[in-house]
Amino acid sequence: FLLMANKYKFFNGDFSVSLNVYPGTSIESIEHYVKKLMGLEPDAELVFTDENGEYVCVCSEMPSGTQIHVRVCKKPDVISPEDASFVWDIDTKNDTHELHDNNTRYGQPENRSFGGIRATKGFSSGKHYWTVLFSPLVCCMGGGVCTKSDEPDSWKLPFCNSAAFRKAFTGTEGTGGSGLTNSVHVGFFLDMDSKVLQMHKVGEPKILLQFEIPDDPKYQELYPCLQMKHVAWLTLTSTSNTPPIELQPMEE
């Protein structure tokens, strides 16, 4: 009899490829050809999701026409608590989200709720820099700063806006889990003397998102914070006083 192949479509951001898969093809072979067709490194670690951002396991028995989203996940360099000026405050997270690796890795293994978390230390003066690996970076996710009295999972934080964050670092807008991105490594530079918070992709000097901080007593001390929904992990990878490269102003 004639063996018929199932046709699957794989998406990575705006890029997509089609692959004919015959029944009995191994998962390893499917991953191999997805990497090859998408121009990904052979040792890249892939995660597959449906259009809602839920994890799926690919196989050759999926119905023909199935659409799968591909994300490339990076393994973060875990910072030791002794080398960090702060970690994430376990008392500020909700019940569905988790903390691991000495309270440096924050996320949730299932898409159960929107949550936020605040750092164990705030800053009232000087310059402060930290980096966070968003793996992957999806909608309803962001980072910035908040006050000690702010609820870190509030949608209305003035210096942590998930919609603006997504647009700045992925170039896309909207909600839901479709068409999402790979891991993104973000640097945060807080200058409390100049009252400004700047964000950029690690290794790239261009500032992608910036918040001016009003000269208001309620913003006298600010804490690093994160917000997230969906299935992802946000890892604190470094803390210091200044960025390792000179940042370039945002384009008008």
Side-chain angles (χ1 to χ4, degrees):
F1 63 95
L2 181 63
L3 192 63
M4 300 295 293
N6 293 319
K7 188 172 185 177
Y8 305 140
K9 195 164 188 178
F10 294 85
F11 296 84
N12 182 250
D14 295 328
F15 183 67
S16 65
V17 298
S18 294
L19 182 64
N20 291 321
V21 179
Y22 286 92
T25 302
S26 68
I27 296 175
E28 291 77 14
S29 293
I30 296 174
E31 288 196 9
H32 169 78
Y33 280 101
V34 168
K35 292 176 187 179
K36 189 171 183 178
L37 292 171
M38 287 189 163
L40 302 175
E41 295 295 329
D43 61 350
E45 182 179 344
L46 304 186
V47 172
F48 299 100
T49 71
D50 62 17
E51 61 182 7
N52 296 315
E54 300 291 344
Y55 287 139
V56 298
C57 182
V58 298
C59 67
S60 61
E61 282 73 37
M62 296 184 300
S64 191
T66 297
Q67 297 186 351
I68 301 294
H69 295 273
V70 182
R71 301 173 186 165
V72 181
C73 292
K74 297 179 182 177
K75 185 176 181 180
D77 296 322
V78 179
I79 187 173
S80 80
E82 293 77 18
D83 296 330
S85 61
F86 66 86
V87 292
W88 303 117
D89 187 350
I90 193 170
D91 293 331
T92 62
K93 77 172 188 67
N94 65 17
D95 293 336
T96 65
H97 289 55
E98 300 177 2
L99 273 175
H100 298 281
D101 296 332
N102 297 307
N103 294 347
T104 61
R105 187 163 64 99
Y106 171 67
Q108 62 177 347
E110 298 180 19
N111 184 12
R112 297 177 60 190
S113 74
F114 178 80
I117 200 163
R118 188 174 63 234
T120 53
K121 181 180 180 180
F123 305 109
S124 58
S125 64
K127 297 177 173 63
H128 310 276
Y129 181 75
W130 62 97
T131 57
V132 176
L133 180 65
F134 293 74
S135 186
L137 175 57
V138 304
C139 66
C140 308
M141 183 176 294
V145 293
C146 64
T147 69
K148 191 172 185 178
S149 61
D150 285 331
E151 293 293 336
D153 60 355
S154 170
W155 286 101
K156 298 181 180 180
L157 294 181
F159 316 120
C160 183
N161 184 307
S162 61
F165 193 90
R166 173 191 170 106
K167 184 176 181 181
F169 286 96
T170 72
T172 62
E173 300 183 53
T175 60
S178 60
L180 303 177
T181 66
N182 303 322
S183 299
V184 178
H185 206 181
V186 179
F188 299 82
F189 180 43
L190 175 64
D191 187 341
M192 287 300 290
D193 299 329
S194 299
K195 301 293 184 183
V196 64
L197 172 66
Q198 299 170 328
M199 307 176 204
H200 71 111
K201 287 185 179 180
V202 171
E204 300 180 14
K206 182 182 176 182
I207 297 169
L208 298 178
L209 188 59
Q210 178 171 298
F211 292 104
E212 304 290 338
I213 301 169
D215 189 12
D216 188 309
K218 67 180 178 180
Y219 302 131
Q220 183 175 358
E221 183 179 45
L222 294 173
Y223 291 71
C225 66
L226 298 173
Q227 295 183 328
M228 64 154 292
K229 195 178 184 294
H230 301 291
V231 178
W233 296 97
L234 284 52
T235 304
L236 179 70
T237 55
S238 72
T239 64
S240 61
N241 292 326
T242 56
I245 57 178
E246 184 176 351
L247 301 183
Q248 297 175 355
M250 288 184 64
E251 297 179 356
E252 296 294 336

